[in-house]
């Protein structure tokens, strides 16, 4: 995809200028990319699925997480293939990049801070290194300093070490293991809250340290986060199982490619010797 398709959302800046900011800080924010109608459609599609809270400290005791979004509505495929998001994903990861995860995160009042983490840390290679993931954060609600805006550490994508005070540990993922109080051992002076009006998009490198903030407001805060990985990497969510073939077959071609119905050269991703798209129902 040509970077030119992103121009309508760059606010008069060149793509090269926005990319330079992203490369330097590890993230970049574009305000009010989605209009009120698009936001209403996304909220309506999600509302029936806010039925469970997180299972551990990482997911959040007071947080709804909704996974496998492309199986739950065409509107989510349109979001995952938004030209602005894909312009950065493809610039970083190449045209064969995959959708690694796509989930909604709804922080309720009383939620505590999430542990610090990186989104492509599952690729265990020495740092500093190139990012092999790109994470998008779509603000469906206003994200504020009070309601748990995602926090980032600018420049941390360039660090040689990603384990810091307050980082995710094995216990962060244990079912039933929640934070016992509202203390914040990971508080840092160099952290920035990604405060954005609803409809905005933040794009971050997979190597950037970040975390969900604490929601000290009286209302929930909703974001949707499509995450992309290199075409040779294992996806966080098994997309070809998360999205049934009969649904995948109805999606736009680019969305199907992102799910894994595609080939990373020379032939990574084949099924029984043929291109995986040939196995989709017609």
């Amino acid at each position: 995809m040509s970077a030119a398709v992103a121009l309508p959302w760059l606010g008069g800046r060149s793509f090269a200028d926005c990319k330079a900011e992203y490369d330097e800080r590890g993230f970049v924010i574009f305000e009010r990319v989605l209009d009120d109608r698009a936001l209403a459609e996304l909220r309506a599609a999600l509302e029936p699925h806010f039925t469970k809270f997180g299972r551990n400290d990482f997911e959040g005791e007071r947080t709804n997480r909704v996974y496998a979004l492309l199986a739950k509505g065409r509107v989510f495929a349109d979001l995952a293939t938004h030209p602005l998001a894909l312009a950065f994903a493809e610039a970083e990861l190449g045209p064969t990049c995959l959708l690694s995860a796509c989930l909604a995160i709804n922080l309720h009042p009383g939620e505590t801070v999430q542990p610090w983490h990186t989104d492509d840390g599952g690729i265990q290679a020495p740092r500093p290194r190139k990012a092999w993931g790109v994470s998008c954060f779509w603000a469906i609600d206003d994200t504020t300093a009070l309601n748990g805006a995602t926090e980032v550490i600018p420049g941390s994508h360039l660090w040689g070490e990603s384990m810091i005070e307050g980082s995710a540990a094995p216990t962060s993922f244990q079912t039933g293991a929640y934070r016992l109080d509202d203390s914040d051992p990971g508080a840092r002076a160099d952290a920035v809250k990604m405060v954005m009006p609803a409809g905005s998009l933040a794009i971050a490198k997979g190597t950037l340290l970040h975390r969900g903030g604490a929601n000290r407001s009286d209302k929930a805060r909703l974001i949707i986060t499509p995450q992309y990985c290199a075409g040779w990497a294992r996806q966080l969510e098994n997309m070809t199982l998360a999205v049934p073939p009969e649904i995948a077959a109805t999606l736009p071609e680019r969305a199907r490619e992102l799910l894994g119905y595609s080939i990373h050269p020379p032939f990574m991703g084949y099924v029984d010797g043929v291109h995986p798209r040939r196995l989709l129902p017609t």
Side-chain angles (χ1 to χ4, degrees):
M1 177 179 292
S2 168
V5 300
L7 289 177
W9 300 281
L10 301 185
R13 300 170 65 186
S14 68
F15 182 79
D17 182 43
C18 297
K19 179 69 161 51
E21 178 184 344
Y22 162 84
D23 287 335
E24 178 182 357
R25 304 188 73 201
F27 72 102
V28 63
I29 294 174
F30 301 95
E31 293 194 349
R32 298 181 174 89
V33 176
L34 301 178
D35 61 21
D36 290 344
R37 179 178 177 180
L39 293 173
E41 290 177 348
L42 289 162
R43 288 192 189 98
L46 282 170
E47 190 61 37
H49 304 289
F50 291 144
T51 58
K52 297 179 181 178
F53 286 104
R55 294 161 289 188
N56 49 50
D57 188 36
F58 187 85
E59 287 190 326
E61 185 176 10
R62 298 291 302 156
T63 296
N64 307 123
R65 286 183 173 240
V66 184
Y67 299 100
L69 288 185
L70 272 68
K72 296 177 170 67
R74 170 67 178 266
V75 66
F76 302 115
D78 294 338
L79 193 67
T81 57
H82 192 283
L84 179 57
L86 281 186
F88 277 83
E90 293 182 6
E92 184 76 74
L93 307 169
T96 63
C97 63
L98 297 170
L99 187 65
S100 183
C102 190
L103 61 148
I105 304 176
N106 192 38
L107 266 69
H108 286 259
E111 184 58 279
T112 57
V113 291
Q114 189 186 33
W116 291 108
H117 62 282
T118 62
D119 282 342
D120 72 356
I123 300 175
Q124 297 180 2
R127 293 172 58 106
R129 61 165 171 79
K130 172 180 169 53
W132 287 315
V134 171
S135 293
C136 291
F137 304 86
W138 290 96
I140 310 305
D141 295 324
D142 294 340
T143 65
T144 70
L146 193 63
N147 72 5
T150 301
E151 300 176 23
V152 299
I153 305 177
S156 60
H157 62 299
L158 302 173
W159 293 359
E161 178 57 62
S162 64
M163 291 300 295
I164 59 174
E165 185 72 18
S167 286
T171 53
S172 304
F173 305 96
Q174 291 179 358
T175 299
Y178 300 108
R179 192 178 298 269
L180 298 178
D181 54 43
D182 198 24
S183 63
D184 184 7
R188 298 178 61 96
D190 57 350
V192 171
K193 297 179 187 293
M194 294 199 297
V195 172
M196 304 181 285
S200 300
L201 170 64
I203 305 176
K205 289 178 180 276
T207 44
L208 186 76
L209 280 160
H210 65 282
R211 66 179 185 174
N215 189 347
R216 297 188 172 91
S217 75
D218 59 359
K219 296 181 180 178
R221 180 277 278 168
L222 175 61
I223 68 168
I224 297 175
T225 174
Q227 301 173 14
Y228 308 86
C229 65
W232 49 264
R234 179 163 185 169
Q235 295 149 288
L236 289 173
E237 184 161 22
N238 189 321
M239 290 295 177
T240 53
L241 290 178
V243 183
E246 60 271 18
I247 294 178
T250 70
L251 299 178
E253 182 179 6
R254 190 68 187 99
R256 296 197 302 265
E257 291 172 347
L258 288 169
L259 291 176
Y261 294 96
S262 54
I263 292 291
H264 180 76
F267 45 71
M268 186 176 288
Y270 71 84
V271 179
D272 199 16
V274 301
H275 196 291
R277 66 173 173 240
R278 294 176 58 181
L279 278 71
L280 284 171
T282 55

